[in-house]
Amino acid sequence: MPSQERLSVIVLAAGKGTRMKSPLPKVLHPVAGRPMLESVVRAAKGAGAEEIRIVVGHGSQLVKAVSENWGVVCCEQKEQLGTADAVKSARLSDLEGDVVIMNGDHPLIEAEDIRAFVSEFRKLKADLAVVTSDLKNPGQFGRIIRHQGQMVAIVEAKDASADTLKIREVNTGIYVVKASVLRNDIERIQNKNSKGEYYLTDLIAISLAHQRDVEAIKASPKVAVGVNTQEELARATRKVHARKIRRLMEEGVMVIDPKSTYVEESVKVGPGSVLYPGCFLRGRTQIGSFSVIEPNVFVSDSEIGNSAQIRAGSYLESAKVHSKCVVGPYARLRPETVLHEESQVGNFVELKKVEFGKKSKAAHLTYLGDAEIGENVNIGCGTITCNYAADRKKYKTKIGNNVFVGSDSQFVAPVTVGDHAVIGSGSTITKDVPDHALAVARAKQFVKENYAPKAPAETQAEVKKEE
């Protein structure tokens, strides 16, 4: 790719985020389940950035550890000397082509936004561009000053006059600049201000003074949304959830109450499925078509097939539910659990690392862990697989096809039950059961009459009766 078409991104992520009142670096605070810095990186990658350099400072070791698998380069700002100093810390000497400079705390930005203003920058053949937005309440944003339509300056809110504060076009803190211009002009920025810091906004005046082509590119107000407080963090999360819900509905998903349904951006839901209020879908979750997710269901990193029903209050984590299954209400599927087609797991049933066969049922009050359950098996109420032994190891229970397990049964693993076997209620199974066998493992019932002492009233009644 020619150098002039090359796109690099510098993400400023060195700030402490004092107003967050949190020991966690600000850019690692999650927005809709994803660190806001990751959202910015994903947007940059989606826009075609060949290289992303993250400038780290406060909490640098943690930020580096979290971002090391994102395919980025971390550059450390040794001292907090301002935004221009942070950009210089990104080692500008080997940058080529166009460079986008943006903040790591703007989680609402998307790839299409970056593509749009980079495209406009190249169309204008500019040397430097500031991305701006028109805001209803500009607040403390720097104002864009124009003369005959051309941007001539950025005035910070604290330095602005009453008339200037009426301007609604603001600096979003995002810049697009040719790498050569950035290298040359950033060295001219001085720190002659009350804080003794190097401000990136001074790049505008310097470039204009050197007859550069400086432009202001307007973008959606969402790109100006930064996160500096916990309240703003929550607000950003609401916006991301709302955006995802809106897109799902456009794709044919029925959402009963969008304002009380929470779906992270990474989740996929097929058309015709129904999401009830209070459900929370996160991570790598995928849901097929015509499935129903009832109220207050939590699903994380799980797969749910077509025409499945996840009833109210159920909790699924790293599980796989095939088509036409019914789960819950109030069931829990733990990691590595797989429910095959048309199986049913009812209320207060917990499964962990279980392969649950086609058309099998566990209706209620059951724990199955480290087990393989065949097809068309009935698991009675109160059944337990005793998978955790005194040696602190886990052992497996295997139950074949077409097995009937009576209520209140325990399987002390490792143990295998053959096809078509029947387990009597109340049994504790410690040995393998062959095909077609009946297994009953419980004490023989013993009845001793007149064992319990009689109450005085009963004794008196018998005496009167004899009289």
Side-chain angles (χ1 to χ4, degrees), residues 169-364:
E169 186 180 7
V170 304
N171 173 22
T172 65
I174 302 171
Y175 304 84
V176 190
V177 58
K178 292 187 178 300
S180 57
V181 172
L182 179 61
R183 276 193 298 272
N184 290 331
D185 291 359
I186 202 167
E187 296 296 337
R188 298 184 171 99
I189 296 177
Q190 299 181 359
N191 63 342
K192 295 179 180 179
N193 52 66
S194 59
K195 291 188 175 181
E197 294 184 351
Y198 299 88
Y199 295 141
L200 191 58
T201 50
D202 291 347
L203 194 65
I204 307 302
I206 291 170
S207 292
L208 285 170
H210 287 80
Q211 307 301 310
R212 313 283 193 198
D213 185 358
V214 180
E215 303 286 346
I217 299 173
K218 282 193 178 183
S220 167
K222 72 178 181 181
V223 306
V225 176
V227 172
N228 295 293
T229 66
Q230 295 292 342
E231 182 180 0
E232 290 173 352
L233 184 73
R235 191 181 303 136
T237 293
R238 287 197 298 272
K239 289 182 178 180
V240 173
H241 281 150
R243 182 172 69 194
K244 178 65 176 183
I245 292 296
R246 185 167 56 251
R247 289 173 178 171
L248 287 177
M249 291 191 293
E250 290 171 355
E251 294 167 359
V253 178
M254 291 176 275
V255 182
I256 304 299
D257 183 3
K259 290 185 177 180
S260 62
T261 305
Y262 310 96
V263 183
E264 294 182 358
E265 288 187 293
S266 52
V267 172
K268 297 179 181 180
V269 183
S273 286
V274 182
L275 305 182
Y276 275 80
C279 69
F280 197 116
L281 312 179
R282 67 175 306 276
R284 299 181 299 275
T285 293
Q286 297 184 37
I287 299 173
S289 299
F290 302 109
S291 288
V292 177
I293 311 299
E294 291 190 358
N296 303 317
V297 167
F298 181 91
V299 184
S300 176
D301 299 321
S302 297
E303 295 182 36
I304 298 172
N306 299 324
S307 303
Q309 184 176 7
I310 313 299
R311 291 176 173 168
S314 296
Y315 190 108
L316 284 69
E317 180 184 7
S318 300
K320 187 170 184 178
V321 177
H322 286 267
S323 298
K324 299 182 181 179
C325 289
V326 178
V327 177
Y330 303 104
R332 184 182 181 192
L333 305 187
R334 291 168 59 188
E336 299 184 59
T337 290
V338 179
L339 304 188
H340 289 277
E341 289 83 356
E342 300 182 62
S343 59
Q344 297 182 29
V345 173
N347 49 290
F348 305 107
V349 173
E350 179 180 355
L351 275 63
K352 190 274 295 183
K353 206 172 181 179
V354 173
E355 194 85 18
F356 202 70
K358 183 177 180 180
K359 295 187 177 180
S360 290
K361 299 178 182 179
H364 36 221

Side-chain angles (χ1 to χ4, degrees), residues 6 83 121 132 136 146 156 206 247 264 289 352 358 373 381 408 426 438:
R6 182 182 177 86
T83 50
F121 173 81
T132 70
K136 293 181 180 179
R146 293 179 180 267
E156 298 299 330
I206 291 170
R247 289 173 178 171
E264 294 182 358
S289 299
K352 190 274 295 183
K358 183 177 180 180
I373 311 298
C381 175
D408 194 29
L438 167 65

